[in-house]
Amino acid sequence: EQAAAEYYEPFVERLQRGETCTYERLTGPEGGEKRWYQARLEPHMGPDGAFAGYYIVGTDIHDVKVAHERIADQEAKLRLIADNIPASIAHLDAQRRYLFVNRAFAEARGKPFAEIVGHTATEVMGESTAAALEPIAHRVIELGETIARMKSIPREKVEGVLEKFATVASEQSMLVTDTDEYVKSVLRKALGED
């Protein structure tokens, strides 16, 4: 009872005002498997409208929580790789709103991520630039074409990206060190370097 009270006491005032409260915690038997649970505290108001207690509904959310953590890890790895590519990368939705941009894209526009992600191409680059890029956006978003624009990238920048990628890949995956040269050769071919 005392352990349970530690989790519910902080919510009593809010419950007494008629507010529903939720919280998540990792719990389980001592020395046993811990799992994530979400508790929802629902106030019970009496016929006179006064607080008469509360109901607790617990839900095992462990699998969802673990899946979200895995997705966050994968997004962090993708961000690490994308931010070290010396080319602008952007993902827009059908309304031309930026969902993702890498560091090179943000730096080329002189704006922080917060001023790009969630904003439209017109808001980020201005009306004339967005209008000039619209035919390309239309081909990609509406027609499903893949378009890559390459510009001259200095060899040392390409080598730096390849080195970082190989390091990250060997540290964070099952790739063994003798595959570094293979990965580099594939990336060089993709960049038109070989």
Side-chain angles (χ1 to χ4, degrees):
E1 258 183 55
Q2 183 183 351
E6 288 179 30
Y7 292 103
Y8 307 127
E9 284 297 319
F11 301 104
V12 171
E13 279 186 33
R14 290 176 54 201
L15 289 164
Q16 289 173 341
R17 292 192 304 260
E19 295 178 31
T20 298
C21 304
T22 60
Y23 69 88
E24 297 174 359
R25 70 179 180 136
L26 186 62
T27 187
E30 194 167 321
E33 180 188 4
K34 305 283 188 202
R35 294 188 65 81
W36 280 100
Y37 286 88
Q38 180 184 67
R40 178 182 172 97
L41 290 72
E42 190 72 42
H44 170 66
M45 308 308 261
D48 61 353
F51 179 71
Y54 56 92
Y55 300 103
I56 302 169
V57 178
T59 306
D60 182 331
I61 60 166
H62 189 77
D63 294 338
V64 172
K65 192 83 165 171
V66 169
H68 283 189
E69 289 170 0
R70 285 187 187 134
I71 290 169
D73 287 346
Q74 292 299 318
E75 287 176 349
K77 289 175 187 173
L78 175 62
R79 169 64 67 189
L80 177 67
I81 293 167
D83 280 347
N84 286 291
I85 293 173
S88 292
I89 299 173
H91 178 209
L92 291 83
D93 65 14
Q95 289 73 44
R96 313 315 192 247
R97 191 169 302 280
Y98 290 99
L99 304 175
F100 173 90
V101 299
N102 70 342
R103 182 179 19 227
F105 185 94
E107 287 174 355
R109 279 126 195 104
K111 295 179 183 263
F113 290 108
E115 290 181 18
I116 300 173
V117 175
H119 297 275
T120 65
T122 302
E123 293 168 337
V124 172
M125 297 186 288
E127 213 168 297
S128 62
T129 303
L133 294 172
E134 180 53 31
I136 295 168
H138 174 76
R139 287 173 52 200
V140 172
I141 295 169
E142 307 299 329
L143 304 178
E145 291 184 27
T146 300
I147 298 174
R149 294 172 127 197
M150 295 295 289
K151 65 177 185 177
S152 179
I153 301 172
R155 180 75 182 179
E156 57 274 2
K157 269 195 159 185
V158 172
E159 287 299 324
V161 169
L162 295 175
E163 285 300 319
K164 273 189 181 172
F165 179 80
T167 301
V168 169
S170 66
E171 289 173 356
Q172 299 183 1
S173 72
M174 297 301 289
L175 290 173
V176 290
T177 52
D178 64 341
T179 61
D180 287 356
E181 284 307 312
Y182 171 75
V183 170
K184 287 179 187 177
S185 72
V186 169
L187 289 171
R188 279 190 193 101
K189 285 179 185 173
L191 292 169
E193 289 290 314
D194 280 347

